[in-house]
Amino acid sequence: MDFLTNPAVIGLFLFFGLLALNFPVFAAIGWAALAAFVVFEAGPLSVMPYIFSGSLDSFPLLATPLFIVAGNMITRTGIATKLVRVAELIVGPLPGGLALTVLVTGAVLASMSGSNIATVAALSFLVKPMAERGYPRGFAVACVAAGCTFGVVIPPSIGFIIYGVVTETSIPKLFAAGVGPGMVMLTILGAYVLFISWLRGYAGVANEARTVANFFDAVKDAFWGLMAPVIILGGIYTGIFTATEAAAVAVVYLFIIDRLVYHSIKISDLPDVLFDSGRTIGVIALIIATSAVYGWIMQTQGLAGRLNETVMWLSGGNPVLILLCFNIILLVVGAFLEPIAAMYLLVPLFKPTLEMIGFDLVHFGAVLTVNLSMAHLTPPVGVGLYLAAQLGGVPFAKAARYAIPFVILEFLIVLIVTYVKPIAMFLPSLM
């Protein structure tokens, strides 16, 4: 009974109750935290503003709003359509060529913006041509949403930046740890799309002749866009700039190539780009700050110790079963929470157990981000799937049915990344 009267536990019940009433995530966490302080006396109320403001006072965290601005610029520059042409020439003639094009383009766009939502917005225009070529619209929407899941795994990743801030782990090493899992995701999801397309007769696409001349012409057209991840990641790993500075470089680079090459964003459109970015940044900042406050409550009220004891009891101290428990918790929580909120709430609870069993925090960062990438596909929240369904004109429930195989495969990928260490840790081990 002591557990049920713990202020942190009561606050969690209140939090999920507010979510059920359709409160925004940041408001539900904020009210739950405030109730824990005021009603259940979890701590002096005077510490709340210090935790709230202190959680945002981080130089590495500054990369998050900058990458969001970069993602919004990408959706308006037309880079996505140029990348689609390159991908079509590579995988287009294969069965399900257009669906494979969505996945490949999603992986490349993810390496530019680090944002899932920006990737969905940039790729949603492909739902209509896929439907015209005989794909069910629900399958097309699920492919676009699955393509967006690379955004939190393939570097640069906003998820890795936030995880690095929470755990005080090297962000460049986390970025390196995302490359292997990202490639595994692309390979397994691509293999599924190829198989199901062959099975159902979804033909490849050949909008133009697959010749060397056409391929180099497409690469030349997309060259400046393809150079973005080279400059961003190259600058980080050569030590020219930090991850935060890389985000600023990405914004400046995209602005310059658009002004000099693409001419897609008018000067008069820039306030709109910044306003759209600002709305997203504001929501993320509130989620981070309120989650940090509630994370403090859970730590001070002993919830981390309780979780550690419960997981040890369920697993018998077996590291394999402990990691499986953590992955199941992340999968369930990710279905209801934004990945950023889940990260701030759960990572401090998991960290003592991970350190006790000697599991590398960089490796767990890769495991966690791959797992939480599914949050964009899993109902009832499924932000990526919801946005793709909305933009593709498909009911959410219908899109969710087509997304089920992608979710199952992604959980399989999570287990592979968890238990096959070199997939995530080979590149970081070289640094």
Side-chain angles (χ1 to χ4, degrees), residues 160 163-174 360-362:
F160 278 133
Y163 178 86
V165 170
V166 174
T167 59
E168 298 180 348
T169 308
S170 166
I171 292 174
K173 282 190 175 183
L174 288 168
D360 194 294
L361 289 178
V362 173

Side-chain angles (χ1 to χ4, degrees), residues 145-167:
C148 94
T149 59
F150 300 113
V152 293
V153 180
I154 294 178
S157 161
I158 291 172
F160 278 133
I161 292 167
I162 292 171
Y163 178 86
V165 170
V166 174
T167 59

Side-chain angles (χ1 to χ4, degrees), residues 104-198:
V104 172
T105 309
V108 177
L109 284 175
S111 68
M112 295 182 187
S113 69
S115 169
N116 298 59
I117 302 306
T119 305
V120 171
L123 293 178
S124 58
F125 76 94
L126 287 170
V127 172
K128 184 178 178 181
M130 285 180 73
E132 290 172 349
R133 286 177 171 85
Y135 296 87
R137 290 187 77 91
F139 179 75
V141 164
C143 284
V144 170
C148 94
T149 59
F150 300 113
V152 293
V153 180
I154 294 178
S157 161
I158 291 172
F160 278 133
I161 292 167
I162 292 171
Y163 178 86
V165 170
V166 174
T167 59
E168 298 180 348
T169 308
S170 166
I171 292 174
K173 282 190 175 183
L174 288 168
F175 281 178
V179 175
M183 294 302 101
V184 171
M185 285 176 68
L186 181 59
T187 302
I188 292 179
L189 296 183
Y192 164 72
V193 166
L194 184 65
F195 173 74
I196 207 73
S197 298
W198 170 79

Side-chain angles (χ1 to χ4, degrees), residues 71-84:
N72 269 337
M73 292 179 72
I74 284 170
T75 61
R76 295 167 184 254
T77 55
I79 290 175
T81 56
K82 300 176 192 306
L83 294 175
V84 164

Side-chain angles (χ1 to χ4, degrees), residues 90-110:
I90 297 171
V91 298
L94 298 172
L98 201 49
L100 290 169
T101 296
V102 169
L103 295 181
V104 172
T105 309
V108 177
L109 284 175

